[in-house]
Amino acid sequence: MTDFFKGIPQIRYEGPQTTNEFAFRHYNPEEVVAGKTLAEHLRFAIAWWHSFAWPGGDPFGGQTLQRPWFGDTLDLAKLKADVAFEMFDILQAPFFCFHDADIRPEGKDFAENTRNLKTIVDYIGEKMTGSNTKLLWGTANLFSHRRFMSGAATNPDPEVFAWSAATVKTCMDATLQLGGQNYVLWGGREGYETLLNTDLTQEAEHAGRFLQMVVEYKHKIGFKGAILIEPKPQEPSKHQYDYDVATVYGFLKRFGLEGEVKVNIEQGHAILAGHSFEHELALAASLGIFGSIDMNRNDYQSGWDTDQFPDSVPEMARAYYEVLRAGGFTTGGTNFDAKIRRQSLDPEDLILAHVGAMDVCARALKAAAAALEDGGLEAQRRARYAGWETAEAKAMLGSDLASIEAMVREKGINPEPRSGRQERLENLWNRFV
Ligand code: XUL
Ligand code: CO
């Protein structure tokens, strides 16, 4: 045991009336909602990078957090893992997620990176045998080190492509070894700063081939989890190639990967792309590529990716409504890709950020499940398209413009507009939130 979380009890469900800060008010992991427990629905994961590796910097100032495990040695990386598993236990977290660079010290070359990764992955594997916490996904950090400043798979330098491909191989091996349920690729610097130095065509070809290699390797090693792309429109690059769900789908189609790769959708990234979170979720479900979510929120005033913990039940309820309509998570889950503010120095802040977020998500999921169970919204959605259920209407889709023109004349078709009932539907929705 380390003493980092000394005095902080394990968080248990005590119900909405409790005044205990260190308790869940709404997240009762065993509560059954719409046929599954809340733990099974929500599949919460803790992000290693924000909770254990982030030093608290922003563009105007450096480190504010001082953690006893900060530093680039294997012993400190093990201490970090010890603390991580203590936090997973305090929160009863079912899953965690990591990048290679979050868990291992940086080596002087590729061989040392791989050795360090293997040592820490073995260490984490041992810790997992005595823990209930599993791996939701692993990923490679192909954006922080200066070698990636011009991209990884899309870097103009083939040596960086090689380094990146080799690194992803080691991270997929690590994810397989730890029983990960997904492997994620977020193209942090797969994009450009200026078109004046960028060959869009060549970069897209390289990114497409890179992803094909990831899928080929997945099958080669027998990894049964899902490969997920995480869309984001900009930041760190001015323009990133995996802009949003629609763009990723086009990219997957172009490289024949739409049956192999799904998406990990992040709330803050959806907002940066000018969408709502629920739009991205609904679109992914409709395209058959919904995989997992990174749960956080952005500050609507600052306009950048602030990665705050979610605090809005109405917003999250709209998101979980789409998750439930999509049939819920299979390999995916709710990963808190969220960081405490840089002034939140205390170990308690880190724990309570997650407690609050888990409660917000649980309330949202319950509201969404109630709305879906009520069925009123879905009935009205179906009723709106009921005209298309007739054989005549369906046949029109197999017809042609000239025949349809003849039919319109013959029948004297003259459509009467009907209300979209938006406010009535919003009122119905608000009964559940
Ligand atoms: C960055 C981001 C990443 C990915 C994993 O905005 O969301 O943390 O989730 O690389
Ligand atoms: Co993310």
Side-chain angles (χ1 to χ4, degrees):
M1 279 289 279
T2 75
D3 62 1
F4 186 70
F5 291 118
K6 203 162 105 205
I8 299 182
Q10 197 179 47
I11 311 295
R12 295 180 196 282
Y13 174 70
E14 293 185 7
Q17 308 312 326
T18 187
T19 55
N20 179 7
E21 245 191 323
F22 293 92
F24 294 121
R25 283 169 179 71
H26 305 278
Y27 178 57
N28 175 3
E30 275 125 47
E31 182 180 342
V32 175
V33 172
K36 284 201 271 187
T37 65
L38 284 184
E40 289 164 343
H41 271 298
L42 291 159
R43 294 168 59 83
F44 288 131
I46 312 283
W48 207 287
W49 52 103
H50 286 316
S51 289
F52 311 115
W54 183 61
D58 73 8
F60 299 94
Q63 179 171 352
T64 58
L65 305 177
Q66 290 174 330
R67 305 300 197 205
W69 57 85
F70 281 174
D72 245 355
T73 70
L74 280 167
D75 282 345
L76 289 172
K78 287 181 184 171
L79 175 63
K80 179 160 58 170
D82 292 343
V83 171
F85 276 83
E86 285 168 16
M87 179 159 131
F88 302 158
D89 186 52
I90 289 172
L91 291 166
Q92 306 177 56
F95 294 102
F96 69 97
C97 301
F98 73 88
H99 301 82
D100 52 349
D102 310 329
I103 59 171
R104 57 124 179 85
E106 191 68 38
K108 62 179 182 317
D109 54 20
F110 183 77
E112 191 180 338
N113 269 355
T114 311
R115 260 196 324 275
N116 287 349
L117 183 66
K118 180 81 184 114
T119 304
I120 296 298
V121 165
D122 287 346
Y123 189 73
I124 290 176
E126 280 166 33
K127 299 199 77 74
M128 286 173 77
T129 58
S131 156
N132 292 325
T133 304
K134 301 189 175 71
L135 176 61
L136 187 66
W137 48 263
T139 188
N141 179 330
L142 303 179
F143 44 88
S144 293
H145 194 281
R146 64 193 288 277
R147 73 174 65 85
F148 302 120
M149 69 177 189
S150 313
T154 62
N155 199 295
D157 180 352
E159 289 200 350
V160 180
F161 182 101
W163 180 291
S164 307
T167 300
V168 167
K169 184 228 173 254
T170 64
C171 291
M172 290 177 75
D173 290 342
T175 303
L176 177 73
Q177 181 180 333
L178 296 177
Q181 304 201 7
N182 307 272
Y183 184 81
V184 165
L185 296 114
W186 170 60
R189 296 196 189 269
E190 310 294 22
Y192 62 82
E193 297 298 321
T194 171
L195 273 175
L196 293 175
N197 67 10
T198 301
D199 184 335
L200 280 176
T201 315
Q202 195 165 0
E203 294 201 3
E205 289 294 332
H206 295 174
R209 183 63 199 125
F210 192 95
L211 190 57
Q212 287 169 344
M213 286 183 197
V214 168
V215 169
E216 286 159 13
Y217 190 65
K218 163 195 157 147
H219 292 303
K220 183 172 172 196
I221 60 176
F223 177 65
K224 298 286 174 255
I227 303 290
L228 305 175
I229 293 240
E230 185 174 321
K232 185 173 183 181
Q234 69 269 331
E235 197 192 284
S237 302
K238 174 180 156 56
H239 178 97
Q240 292 191 211
Y241 296 133
D242 301 329
Y243 196 95
D244 58 4
V245 169
T247 310
V248 168
Y249 187 72
F251 174 81
L252 295 178
K253 285 286 258 191
R254 176 170 169 190
F255 294 99
L257 294 169
E258 70 274 20
E260 293 279 3
V261 178
K262 295 179 177 168
V263 281
N264 179 40
I265 302 171
E266 179 164 324
Q267 202 272 3
H269 298 180
I271 304 302
L272 282 180
H275 302 301
S276 65
F277 194 19
E278 61 267 24
H279 163 89
E280 290 289 82
L281 293 165
L283 182 60
S286 140
L287 294 169
I289 57 168
F290 170 61
S292 197
I293 63 182
D294 268 9
M295 181 59 87
N296 55 26
R297 81 181 139 113
N298 279 4
D299 183 314
Y300 289 105
Q301 281 161 306
S302 72
W304 57 287
D305 192 17
T306 57
D307 285 335
Q308 288 170 248
F309 281 87
D311 73 341
S312 164
V313 176
E315 268 190 352
M316 295 308 118
R318 288 295 293 272
Y320 281 116
Y321 191 69
E322 297 305 333
V323 171
L324 291 176
R325 286 186 67 226
F329 295 121
T330 52
T331 61
T334 303
N335 171 44
F336 290 115
D337 192 350
K339 54 179 178 265
I340 46 176
R341 299 302 86 194
R342 68 196 291 268
Q343 298 174 50
S344 301
L345 302 180
D346 302 338
E348 286 84 352
D349 293 324
L350 188 54
I351 299 293
L352 292 176
H354 286 87
V355 171
M358 288 158 90
D359 266 345
V360 165
C361 291
R363 275 177 84 176
L365 188 283
K366 285 190 257 191
L372 203 57
E373 203 158 33
D374 170 80
L377 287 165
E378 293 314 303
Q380 297 208 47
R381 190 198 306 270
R382 279 193 304 278
R384 191 158 179 251
Y385 295 87
W388 282 97
E389 279 159 28
T390 66
E392 205 175 26
K394 284 184 182 147
M396 191 165 51
L397 297 178
S399 182
D400 58 79
L401 293 186
S403 311
I404 292 174
E405 193 223 18
M407 180 182 77
V408 169
R409 285 174 191 280
E410 196 181 298
K411 294 196 169 167
I413 286 177
N414 192 8
E416 191 59 44
R418 285 186 303 151
S419 172
R421 300 183 167 183
Q422 180 165 334
E423 297 76 12
R424 291 168 71 177
L425 295 171
E426 286 165 354
N427 293 352
L428 177 52
W429 169 254
N430 283 325
R431 279 193 226 162
F432 302 99
V433 182

